[in-house]
Amino acid sequence: MTQQPTVQTAQAVQKAMRALGLNPRLSGEVLAIVSHDLRTPLSTIALGTTLLEDASQPEESKTQVIEIIRRAADRMERLIKDLQELGRLETGRTLRIDARRVELSSLLTEACEALHVQAQARQQEVSCDLPELPLAVCVDPDRICQVLGNLIGNAIKFTPRGGRIALTARQDGLDVRVSVTDEGPGIPEADLPQVFEPYWQAKGTARLGAGIGLKIAKGLVQAHGGRIWVESTLGKGTTFSFTLPVVA
């Protein structure tokens, strides 16, 4: 009974991937990872609709269930959008950005606050060490928030309960360097070159995500004229950094 939904989900994902123009080689293990990521919110939605059909449920509980269903649908939409973004990158196209002049600290603070609730649920602290003076950059705010959401989200995911995630920003010549540091297990040096490859996951982190967020983050940073890299020490944590050009 449990295998049939899995097969149906895998077939649906495979069809969607073909429609998005993704390489057929992305079946197998990759398909299993993406199917897993879709299956979880699908199960949540199915359970939620069953609860809503229960007439004995109080209205307050139904409101909570509706919110849970909405978040699950948002997760599915994000994954589908990520697959579309990856399709553009794999065909050699750049990701679309709508850049404008913004103040960096306010943008970073907004991204940091957006993930505070998620960190608090794991009793983690997210600290922001930002420039004291106004610093203007020419970026697409939504896209940079997408990059930060991926990096901070990963840091929260890999940092132990009660740990700390640090977001820092410093001007470095004509660029500003933004870094996200976690207190996770770290990444072996031999694996660092593969971190930004799509669908790659470090050993011991299977099923923690589809493994495409960092590839998209790299594409977005490059579309802004910046670069992104990772530094890590086993047992001590990992730092992802990226640069953005400063507006004169």
Side-chain angles (χ1 to χ4, degrees), residues 83-230:
L83 288 171
Q84 291 174 325
E85 303 269 58
L86 185 64
R88 290 182 61 86
L89 290 173
E90 293 213 323
T91 55
R93 292 175 291 174
T94 58
L95 299 181
R96 292 183 293 266
I97 62 170
D98 182 15
R100 60 182 184 272
R101 183 188 178 104
V102 298
E103 207 285 305
L104 181 68
S105 292
S106 60
L107 177 62
L108 297 183
T109 299
E110 177 186 340
C112 206
E113 290 176 347
L115 290 159
H116 246 86
V117 174
Q118 185 180 343
Q120 287 177 344
R122 292 174 54 85
Q123 299 177 341
Q124 296 169 337
E125 176 190 353
V126 179
S127 67
C128 293
D129 184 6
L130 308 178
E132 295 181 2
L133 298 177
L135 190 61
V137 290
C138 187
V139 300
D140 184 328
D142 292 336
R143 291 302 210 170
I144 297 304
C145 282
Q146 184 179 350
V147 173
L148 290 167
N150 183 279
L151 298 183
I152 299 175
N154 280 349
I156 291 172
K157 188 161 50 178
F158 292 109
T159 296
R161 181 175 293 273
R164 182 172 177 268
I165 296 99
L167 172 65
T168 61
R170 290 288 181 271
Q171 186 167 358
D172 185 8
L174 298 177
D175 295 327
V176 60
R177 181 175 65 188
V178 181
S179 299
V180 177
T181 301
D182 65 41
E183 294 182 344
I187 303 171
E189 185 176 357
D191 289 342
L192 292 178
Q194 305 176 68
V195 166
F196 294 102
E197 292 301 315
Y199 308 109
W200 178 84
Q201 292 183 331
K203 293 179 180 179
T205 65
R207 300 299 181 265
L208 286 180
I212 57 182
L214 289 176
K215 174 70 173 179
I216 294 170
K218 181 179 180 179
L220 289 172
V221 170
Q222 291 177 335
H224 282 85
R227 63 188 185 94
I228 187 170
W229 68 97
V230 58

Side-chain angles (χ1 to χ4, degrees), residues 25-44:
R25 68 179 175 80
L26 300 182
S27 55
E29 182 182 0
V30 168
L31 185 59
I33 294 171
V34 178
S35 298
H36 176 273
D37 273 22
L38 280 175
R39 191 162 59 248
T40 300
L42 275 173
S43 299
T44 300

